[in-house]
Amino acid sequence: MENKPKEPLIHITKRKALRWTAAWRIRLFAIVISLLLCALITMITTGLNPVQVYVTMFQGAFGSARRMWILGKDIAILLCISLALTPAFRMRFWNLGGEGQILIGALATASCMILLGDKVPGWFLILLSVIAALAAGAFWAMVPAACKALWNTNETLFTLMMNYVATQLVAYFVIVWEVPKGSGKIGIINQNTEAGWLPVIAGNKYLLNILCVAILTIGMYIYLNYSKHGYEISVVGESVATARYVGINVSWTIIRTLLISGAICGLTGFLLVAGTDHTLTTTLAGGQGFTAVMVAWLAKFNPLGMVLSSFLLVFLGKGAGEIATIYGLNQSYGDILTGIILFFIIGSEFFINYRIHFRGEHKEDKPAAAQPAAPASVTHASESGASAAHASENETTATEKREDTADV
């Protein structure tokens, strides 16, 4: 007898699509486990009360009205960048140039504020600034998009390298416009006149940014899920060959989508310069162009889900900074806790998409209507009985035929 290969101890199968409630239960369970692990690490390494550490993290984000507004502003900016990258990601165009597109939009905004601040009315200056920022960001994204559509270049490397070009352009103009000379920075643009600054609503300079991004989130959700362009983006992302077969102009879809993506990144630069920071630096985006990639991925490229993932990342960042300040810990310690929590959240996606089976466990449940197979011995006996019956019947027929012949 041949020995059958031994079944592996663990095997993995693809899950059927889970309901969103089940998927979020898995994510919440992962968050709870990560918090318990962080608490254990905190007790062992620092001797601090982990509950008090978590309370401090919460206070870092919600400890005062000002902190809550800053939290909302940071969420809005990160969400805006994520919304910009989402159309390209749905099309499987990996746009890693969000950082550069933000800086170019910010540079265009600062240019309008510095060069036209005392030449045109304030409302018209804001209008010119936003148009310039949208156009600059769209152009910066169109260059790699056109190269991808025409010559099939690698969009990941192309968009990534353009970040460095944008950073050096901003660095050059910061030196050109530096105030005072030799300081290496621009300072607050139009500080005395506030020309080009977005208006303050209800006594808060962050509220307008938050409202703009909220409207943009709803608009992007409708655009991607209920418009013809959104359908074309999804088809191109699934299969370029299928898109061409059904008559979609793939090259134009790529360029159009990246124009939208770059324009929204440019709008982010406008909101930073004209809305909150009122200055221009090479670190204005603060690496959020790359953080937004994680935000979009965690939310499965769903604009509404990005609200939650943006909140989570910003909250963890604020909390990490707060515990480093209050307890005199290195900033890296807070980043370690943040990394552990994110690791569990990202890892939970594996259990949402796949299922682990152990040896002896059935991969799939059998249908209720299916009847168990008969044992081999029973089957063999049945077959033997049927053969014997068939032979007896043939013998009887032959005997009857002989008797008839004899009568004749």
Side-chain angles (χ1 to χ4, degrees):
M1 291 181 61
E2 295 182 0
N3 293 327
K4 293 183 179 180
K6 193 174 183 180
E7 184 181 0
L9 177 62
I10 297 174
H11 51 269
I12 300 171
T13 59
K14 179 77 173 176
R15 278 187 188 272
K16 296 178 181 179
L18 288 178
R19 295 183 61 182
W20 69 272
T21 52
W24 275 104
R25 279 198 300 269
I26 293 175
R27 293 189 182 102
L28 290 175
F29 180 75
I31 293 174
V32 171
I33 296 297
S34 67
L35 292 176
L36 293 175
L37 178 60
C38 289
L40 180 62
I41 293 174
T42 301
M43 291 175 62
I44 294 174
T45 58
T46 66
L48 297 173
N49 183 347
V51 176
Q52 189 60 42
V53 170
Y54 289 142
V55 170
T56 303
M57 291 181 68
F58 186 84
Q59 290 175 345
F62 300 100
S64 64
R66 183 175 182 276
R67 288 183 176 182
M68 293 177 63
W69 279 112
I70 294 176
L71 177 74
K73 182 263 297 185
D74 291 342
I75 292 173
I77 293 299
L78 183 58
L79 177 59
C80 190
I81 304 169
S82 305
L83 293 171
L85 301 180
T86 296
F89 286 169
R90 278 205 177 188
M91 196 178 55
R92 300 298 188 268
F93 186 105
W94 306 114
N95 179 16
L96 300 184
E99 196 89 358
Q101 292 154 26
I102 295 167
L103 288 177
I104 288 298
L107 177 60
T109 304
S111 300
C112 292
M113 293 172 65
I114 292 171
L115 300 177
L116 302 175
D118 56 351
K119 296 179 175 62
V120 297
W123 67 268
F124 190 60
L125 178 58
I126 293 175
L127 180 61
L128 288 177
S129 298
V130 70
I131 293 173
L134 292 171
F139 171 78
W140 210 250
M142 185 193 68
V143 175
C147 292
K148 173 69 174 182
L150 298 176
W151 301 297
N152 197 30
T153 57
N154 188 309
E155 73 275 9
T156 304
L157 291 176
F158 205 137
T159 53
L160 191 61
M161 292 300 105
M162 289 194 72
N163 291 335
Y164 297 100
V165 179
T167 301
Q168 296 308 313
L169 278 174
V170 171
Y172 171 78
F173 282 101
V174 166
I175 299 301
V176 170
W177 295 325
E178 62 183 356
V179 177
K181 287 297 180 181
S183 63
K185 60 182 180 180
I186 294 178
I188 302 300
I189 302 173
N190 300 336
Q191 185 172 8
N192 296 327
T193 63
E194 297 187 0
W197 291 21
L198 289 179
V200 175
I201 298 179
N204 194 293
K205 68 176 182 178
Y206 303 134
L207 182 57
L208 185 57
N209 279 16
I210 296 172
L211 292 176
C212 289
V213 176
I215 295 171
L216 181 62
T217 302
I218 297 172
M220 183 60 71
Y221 179 81
I222 295 172
Y223 174 78
L224 291 176
N225 293 284
Y226 299 102
S227 71
K228 179 186 175 185
H229 288 178
Y231 168 76
E232 292 175 349
I233 289 171
S234 298
V235 174
V236 172
E238 290 295 329
S239 171
V240 173
T242 302
R244 290 197 175 102
Y245 179 78
V246 299
I248 296 175
N249 189 333
V250 175
S251 297
W252 169 238
T253 302
I254 292 174
I255 294 174
R256 180 190 65 210
T257 304
L258 265 292
L259 286 173
I260 295 172
S261 182
I264 298 176
C265 282
L267 175 65
T268 307
F270 167 79
L271 293 176
L272 286 170
V273 175
T276 57
D277 293 9
H278 308 306
T279 189
L280 179 67
T281 64
T282 55
T283 59
L284 184 69
Q288 294 185 95
F290 301 106
T291 308
V293 176
M294 185 183 297
V295 170
W297 187 87
L298 284 174
K300 302 292 186 183
F301 310 133
N302 182 342
L304 299 183
M306 290 176 201
V307 178
L308 293 177
S309 53
S310 297
F311 167 79
L312 176 65
L313 292 180
V314 174
F315 170 76
L316 291 176
K318 297 290 184 186
E322 185 70 9
I323 62 175
T325 302
I326 296 298
Y327 296 110
L329 301 174
N330 190 295
Q331 176 67 35
S332 300
Y333 185 82
D335 294 336
I336 290 172
L337 298 183
T338 300
I340 292 173
I341 295 172
L342 291 178
F343 174 80
F344 274 82
I345 294 173
I346 295 172
S348 68
E349 298 299 319
F350 172 84
F351 296 96
I352 292 173
N353 295 308
Y354 297 93
R355 184 178 179 182
I356 298 177
H357 302 269
F358 295 94
R359 184 182 297 160
E361 181 183 352
H362 295 290
K363 296 180 183 179
E364 295 289 342
D365 295 332
K366 293 181 179 180
Q371 297 296 329
S377 58
V378 175
T379 303
H380 180 70
S382 300
E383 290 176 352
S384 300
S387 300
H390 184 66
S392 176
E393 182 180 354
N394 288 342
E395 185 177 353
T396 303
T397 304
T399 303
E400 291 174 354
K401 285 183 178 181
R402 284 195 301 268
E403 291 174 355
D404 292 341
T405 303
D407 292 340
V408 173

